[in-house]
Amino acid sequence: MFRNHLRLAWRGLLKRKGYSALNIFGLAIGITCCLLIFHYVAFERSYDTFQPNAKRIVRVRLDNYQQGKLAWQSATSYPAIAPTMKKEFPEVEQFGRLIDADLLLTNPEKNVKFNELKGYYADPSMIGMLDVRLLKGNPATALDGPDKIMLSQSMARKYFGDQDPLGKHLRAQGDGVTENYEVTGVFKDYPVNSHLILNHLVSYSTLGKILRAQGDSSNPTEMAWGWYDYYDYIQLKPGADYKALEAKLPAFCNRHINNDEWRIKNNVHSELYLIPLSDIHLYSNYNQEAEVNGNGKAVGFLFLIAFLIISIAWINYTNLATARSLERAREVGLRKVLGAVRADLIIQFLAESLLLNTLALALAAIAAELVAPAFNTLIGSDAGPFHLPLDYTLGFAAIFLLGSLLSGIYPAFILSGYHPITVLKGLFKNSTRGLILRKSLIIGQFAVSVILITGTILVYQQVQYMRHQQLGANINQTLVLGGASSIQQDSVYKTIFQPFKNTLLQQSGIQSVTASSNVMGQEIYWTNGINRIGANTKTAVTLYILGIDYDFIPSYSLKLAAGRNFSQQFPTDAKAALLNEKAATLLGFASTADALQGKIKWGGDTLHIVGVLADYHQQGLRNAINPMLILPRPENRNYYSIKFTSDNPHETIATVKKAWDHYFPQDPFNYYFLDENFNQQYKADTRFGTVFGLFSTLAIIIACFGLLGLSAYNVLQRTREIGIRKVLGATEQSLVFLLSKEFLWLVLLSLVIAIPLSWYVMYSWLQDYAYRITIQWWVFALGGSLALAIALLTVGLQAFRASLANPIKSLRTE
């Protein structure tokens, strides 16, 4: 029986080829979009789930309050936290810590050297906690003891080629020392769907050894409650609830952190929170994240768009099926006279819906497979070939079956409920109830389309605003070099850097050379609590510290709001400081001029303020400007900024490299252009805007398919009326208006609904940006006008074709 229903459904589709093609194509586009978004969302939500104990691992977050206000939130915390939690809380099974291990690694035998920035000093327990899979070496001893390093498979190949690296040594330069590290393990390249990029791991005890060699006997890697550059991970015992453990942390903080005399005196306190490992990628965007994480809100928004697009496609099917009720009424009447019961007819119409949806699904699956690589490139995803995990496959299957059923069940019940006598006598008319439903669905479709159009415009505006807003600093024509790590002694460094700088300044096209601890576009990790001397003793604030040489401020065209720059002409500038305007305000100075008379306490030093910089954007406009302390550090070698005027950047690079290879032969030559690197901060926002615009366009196209089908059917039903009106003298313009006005009123009504919803959604989205556009009324006017114009074009073309038809022919056939 069911096969018979399918055969009849297939014949029906072939009989009405235009109607079938319109529905299948619209549904295929909607399902393709849905599949691609599911593919992306599944990948984004898969981060760190490959780890067997992911559900039992959490990372500690540190929140700092000053004078009762939240000052900052950090993904890193103190190294003493994790071991102390292990001692005090029985639900903690084990712990592990990571801290950045940025090294210049060299294999002297092969003369291979690279700056490696994606590695960590790690506790031995992190091998198991992070599911680091060793291909060579013993996991029990690979990080046990100092001067040991584990390499990823790719990194081992980079340094040793086809040789077995186990037991061999690499020279490591960083953190002020030069060491030889033994390669004790090679691990499988770490999965891309992790919140960490792991290229190398150095034994945690190595860092303690380095600090002791530098004269620090306080064992800070184990005992420090103030050095918050460590990622602390906690693995709970089976059955333990991390929320229950988190509830114990306020008392823990009061016992170990907030009872410090300095904190009490300066009204500073900290709070600790736990975030599950699998939530870090999408829901942790705090200071000092290991990598740039995703955006859970954006992923959820795309998930919603997927449902909206496929819903629009199913609404089209429902609309077109109910609109064709007059055409199929006689078929239903004849089949009922011949003995068909209503249940059979419902099954028949549902079979048609299922067949049509299945054909669309088959096309969509092929399209998704073909389009997935380009889609991944567009959104900057590493998701790989099209693939849905089992849970997403089952979820999509349930949605597909439910949508197919719901989109087909209403037309099935409407069509199967006709009375045969009424239909065959020609007394049947479309019900008002069905007409109201179709109009409601059209309004809903275009309301969604308007929301997507205005959303696309506002996302584009925000991205352009961030890219073109004045930063307060000149980042154009700037070549940035990674600093020289191989020279450890400051006295030796000075004798090399100054000739290097002078050599470059003698070259035509090079305007200035300056050194600093950070450059624009980077998050500053160097922070400290600062007290203003002579003011309220409870004014300790956290300032972000930047070390610069004497040429940094003029090179970047930074403006002084008051005072002067550092200068070699003032020997006392060794104990001088600059503040930015935000720091001066935070420290309680009445004005920038008032700050020039002030002094501050930094660690054990008293610094006198010689100038106040006008606020500038160290990072992109998504982030607020931080209060900054700028210190004179001419010996700094983290980054060199080279300002050039040449129109040939490749020639400038070649000139700089030649000088670099002469003065720093032990260091690799790494460079980038600052403006390009700075704008990388907006890449995710730009891609989100592109994806938003793409799916908005597809949603409007699908909505127009439905409008096209409905308007065509409306024209077909009114063929006799059009013919009579033309005979009586109606013009083409009046007929176009007559046939279009009903649909255009529906679109106008959708604007009334969409505009406030669109404003609310986009206003909420913009709150994530520290610096953002103001939503203007014309955006909604433009979005509404575009939707109205598209609808007018779609309906108007059908109406215009109908108005040109020969009235004699239409009246004769009717």
Side-chain angles (χ1 to χ4, degrees):
M1 177 64 75
F2 187 70
R3 186 164 58 180
N4 183 55
H5 284 309
L6 285 178
R7 188 184 297 114
L8 290 173
W10 179 253
R11 289 176 181 172
L13 293 181
L14 292 178
K15 180 180 178 182
R16 295 174 290 273
K17 293 184 179 66
Y19 162 83
S20 301
L22 197 64
N23 263 320
I24 291 172
F25 193 50
L27 281 168
I29 293 177
I31 296 172
T32 302
C33 293
C34 191
L35 287 172
L36 289 173
I37 292 176
F38 268 51
H39 165 67
Y40 169 69
V41 171
F43 177 73
E44 287 291 295
R45 291 184 174 171
S46 73
Y47 269 63
D48 296 300
T49 57
F50 61 86
Q51 302 184 39
N53 296 317
K55 293 182 179 179
R56 293 196 285 129
I57 298 175
V58 294
R59 192 181 70 186
V60 180
R61 186 188 92 210
L62 175 65
D63 290 4
N64 185 270
Y65 289 81
Q66 297 168 1
Q67 288 78 56
K69 296 180 180 179
L70 180 65
W72 45 261
Q73 298 173 292
S74 180
T76 54
S77 53
Y78 310 129
I81 287 175
T84 308
M85 288 180 68
K86 175 69 171 69
K87 291 177 184 176
E88 296 188 6
F89 300 123
E91 55 264 59
V92 175
E93 184 173 75
Q94 62 176 331
F95 69 90
R97 294 160 297 185
L98 300 175
I99 182 171
D100 290 339
D102 298 344
L103 303 170
L104 170 60
L105 292 180
T106 307
N107 180 353
E109 293 180 5
K110 291 181 173 289
N111 195 28
V112 177
K113 57 186 176 184
F114 294 97
N115 280 317
E116 300 292 351
L117 306 179
K118 298 299 181 182
Y120 300 90
Y121 296 103
D123 276 317
S125 58
M126 294 306 290
I127 296 176
M129 288 178 67
L130 294 179
D131 194 32
V132 178
R133 301 183 181 182
L134 263 69
L135 302 174
K136 295 181 179 180
N138 184 349
T141 60
L143 294 178
D144 185 15
D147 300 332
K148 294 184 177 182
I149 188 170
M150 291 168 49
L151 306 178
S152 69
Q153 195 174 6
S154 298
M155 193 168 165
R157 192 179 301 116
K158 182 167 68 172
Y159 284 94
F160 296 100
D162 296 329
Q163 294 180 357
D164 183 359
L166 222 60
K168 291 185 167 54
H169 290 78
L170 290 174
R171 186 172 67 234
Q173 294 166 287
D175 297 304
V177 295
T178 299
E179 299 280 349
N180 286 317
Y181 291 164
E182 179 189 357
V183 179
T184 55
V186 176
F187 58 89
K188 185 178 180 181
D189 286 344
Y190 210 55
V192 294
N193 57 333
S194 168
H195 75 285
L196 295 166
I197 297 177
L198 297 183
N199 288 338
H200 66 274
L201 293 174
V202 182
S203 55
Y204 190 78
S205 56
T206 303
L207 181 59
K209 176 189 171 185
I210 291 171
L211 295 176
R212 285 191 297 273
Q214 293 174 341
D216 191 340
S217 59
S218 63
N219 197 16
T221 59
E222 299 295 336
M223 306 297 294
W225 291 95
W227 180 11
Y228 65 96
D229 288 335
Y230 294 76
Y231 299 100
D232 285 77
Y233 294 86
I234 304 294
Q235 182 170 315
L236 303 177
K237 291 179 179 177
D241 180 12
Y242 86 91
K243 280 293 184 184
L245 176 60
E246 190 176 68
K248 300 177 182 179
L249 294 181
F252 177 87
C253 289
N254 291 335
R255 285 196 303 272
H256 298 288
I257 304 174
N258 297 327
N259 61 350
D260 177 79
E261 183 181 347
W262 181 87
R263 290 173 176 272
I264 295 171
K265 179 181 177 181
N266 290 284
N267 193 16
V268 173
H269 79 277
S270 297
E271 295 179 359
L272 298 176
Y273 296 91
L274 305 176
I275 182 167
L277 189 68
S278 56
D279 286 350
I280 291 175
H281 175 66
L282 289 180
Y283 303 105
S284 181
N285 285 286
Y286 304 105
N287 292 351
Q288 296 191 222
E289 292 288 352
E291 300 296 331
V292 177
N293 284 331
N295 187 323
K297 186 182 288 187
V299 170
F301 208 65
L302 286 177
F303 212 33
L304 176 62
I305 289 176
F307 285 110
L308 291 176
I309 290 176
I310 200 169
S311 296
I312 288 174
W314 278 324
I315 286 171
N316 280 351
Y317 174 78
T318 302
N319 267 340
L320 291 172
T322 54
R324 291 177 57 249
S325 55
L326 276 175
E327 180 185 333
R328 302 200 66 179
R330 183 172 295 180
E331 173 194 341
V332 171
L334 286 172
R335 292 180 66 180
K336 281 192 171 185
V337 167
L338 294 174
V341 296
R342 188 175 188 184
D344 285 338
L345 292 172
I346 290 174
I347 294 173
Q348 173 61 46
F349 293 129
L350 286 177
E352 288 185 15
S353 174
L354 185 61
L355 177 62
L356 192 141
N357 276 275
T358 303
L359 291 172
L361 176 62
L363 286 177
I366 296 170
E369 187 71 38
L370 295 174
V371 173
F375 180 71
N376 290 337
T377 302
L378 179 68
I379 62 175
S381 172
D382 296 316
F386 178 75
H387 168 73
L388 289 183
L390 180 60
D391 54 343
Y392 278 83
T393 301
L394 294 175
F396 177 79
I399 293 168
F400 175 77
L401 291 173
L402 182 63
S404 300
L405 179 65
L406 291 178
S407 64
I409 201 165
Y410 180 78
F413 272 92
I414 292 292
L415 294 171
S416 63
Y418 295 151
H419 298 292
I421 295 177
T422 305
V423 170
L424 295 175
K425 284 183 175 181
L427 302 176
F428 170 77
K429 292 184 178 180
N430 255 329
S431 70
T432 305
R433 188 172 54 187
L435 189 61
I436 292 173
L437 175 69
R438 289 198 299 277
K439 289 182 177 180
S440 301
L441 293 176
I442 291 173
I443 291 170
Q445 280 183 312
F446 272 87
V448 171
S449 299
V450 171
I451 291 172
L452 293 175
I453 290 173
T454 53
T456 301
I457 296 170
L458 288 170
V459 170
Y460 175 80
Q461 276 190 304
Q462 176 64 23
V463 172
Q464 292 305 305
Y465 171 79
M466 292 189 297
R467 291 174 69 96
H468 297 104
Q469 186 73 358
Q470 290 297 319
L471 300 175
N474 179 13
I475 63 172
N476 298 321
Q477 298 283 92
T478 307
L479 185 71
V480 176
L481 308 183
S485 305
S486 63
I487 304 170
Q488 304 298 330
Q489 296 180 1
D490 290 347
S491 57
V492 176
Y493 170 75
K494 289 178 182 178
T495 63
I496 298 176
F497 175 69
Q498 197 58 47
F500 167 72
K501 182 176 180 177
N502 292 337
T503 299
L504 290 181
L505 291 175
Q506 291 169 7
Q507 308 301 314
S508 61
I510 293 182
Q511 191 175 49
S512 66
V513 179
T514 181
S516 58
S517 59
N518 291 88
V519 293
M520 281 63 174
Q522 293 180 330
E523 181 181 356
I524 295 176
Y525 292 164
W526 186 10
T527 63
N528 215 319
I530 305 297
N531 286 88
R532 176 183 167 188
I533 295 176
N536 186 338
T537 56
K538 295 186 179 182
T539 56
V541 296
T542 298
L543 299 186
Y544 293 75
I545 303 171
L546 177 67
I548 64 173
D549 67 7
Y550 302 108
D551 297 317
F552 184 86
I553 289 174
S555 292
Y556 277 103
S557 303
L558 299 176
K559 292 181 170 49
L560 283 160
R564 61 173 177 81
N565 185 16
F566 301 124
S567 173
Q568 298 181 65
Q569 297 176 0
F570 296 91
T572 57
D573 274 9
K575 296 289 186 181
L578 294 172
L579 302 175
N580 68 350
E581 290 174 303
K582 188 161 186 178
T585 302
L586 199 60
L587 285 167
F589 292 108
S591 65
T592 54
D594 181 42
L596 300 180
Q597 310 302 318
K599 294 183 179 181
I600 57 175
K601 192 77 172 177
W602 174 58
D605 292 329
T606 297
L607 306 179
H608 61 279
I609 301 167
V610 299
V612 178
L613 278 177
D615 284 339
Y616 70 92
H617 292 278
Q618 171 67 27
Q619 293 178 264
L621 273 73
R622 178 183 279 272
N623 307 93
I625 293 175
N626 286 320
M628 293 178 63
L629 169 65
I630 298 95
L631 299 176
R633 291 292 182 271
E635 74 282 358
N636 196 286
R637 70 204 70 170
N638 288 8
Y639 297 94
Y640 306 135
S641 301
I642 300 170
K643 289 283 186 177
F644 62 92
T645 57
S646 168
D647 292 331
N648 188 344
H650 299 291
E651 183 181 329
T652 301
I653 292 169
T655 300
V656 173
K657 186 178 187 306
K658 183 179 178 181
W660 179 273
D661 291 341
H662 176 73
Y663 288 101
F664 304 109
Q666 299 301 316
D667 291 278
F669 181 68
N670 298 317
Y671 71 90
Y672 60 83
F673 292 105
L674 184 57
D675 54 349
E676 294 177 359
N677 186 267
F678 191 92
N679 286 327
Q680 290 295 310
Q681 297 174 96
Y682 308 132
K683 183 184 289 185
D685 297 295
T686 303
R687 284 173 170 164
F688 177 69
T690 303
V691 173
F692 202 104
L694 171 65
F695 286 126
S696 299
T697 303
L698 292 174
I700 294 166
I701 289 172
I702 295 169
C704 286
F705 282 164
L707 201 59
L708 181 68
L710 284 174
S711 59
Y713 196 76
N714 183 47
V715 168
L716 183 65
Q717 283 188 310
R718 301 177 72 174
T719 301
R720 179 182 294 178
E721 177 190 347
I722 294 169
I724 292 172
R725 287 180 179 274
K726 287 201 72 173
V727 168
L728 295 177
T731 63
E732 283 84 359
Q733 291 84 352
S734 64
L735 288 174
V736 169
F737 177 74
L738 175 71
L739 296 172
S740 304
K741 66 178 181 179
E742 180 182 353
F743 294 103
L744 297 182
W745 275 115
L746 296 178
V747 175
L748 287 172
L749 185 56
S750 74
L751 298 185
V752 175
I753 297 170
I755 287 173
L757 286 174
S758 178
W759 180 89
Y760 175 77
V761 170
M762 297 312 298
Y763 178 83
S764 300
W765 177 75
L766 285 169
Q767 300 314 300
D768 287 343
Y769 296 86
Y771 300 90
R772 50 188 177 266
I773 60 171
T774 301
I775 300 177
Q776 303 289 336
W777 66 267
W778 63 263
V779 173
F780 303 106
L782 177 59
S785 299
L786 285 172
L788 194 62
I790 292 167
L792 180 62
L793 184 65
T794 304
V795 177
L797 286 174
Q798 288 290 331
F800 185 68
R801 286 179 58 192
S803 69
L804 296 178
N806 188 335
I808 303 300
K809 183 177 180 182
S810 61
L811 290 174
R812 182 183 300 151
T813 56
E814 287 289 323

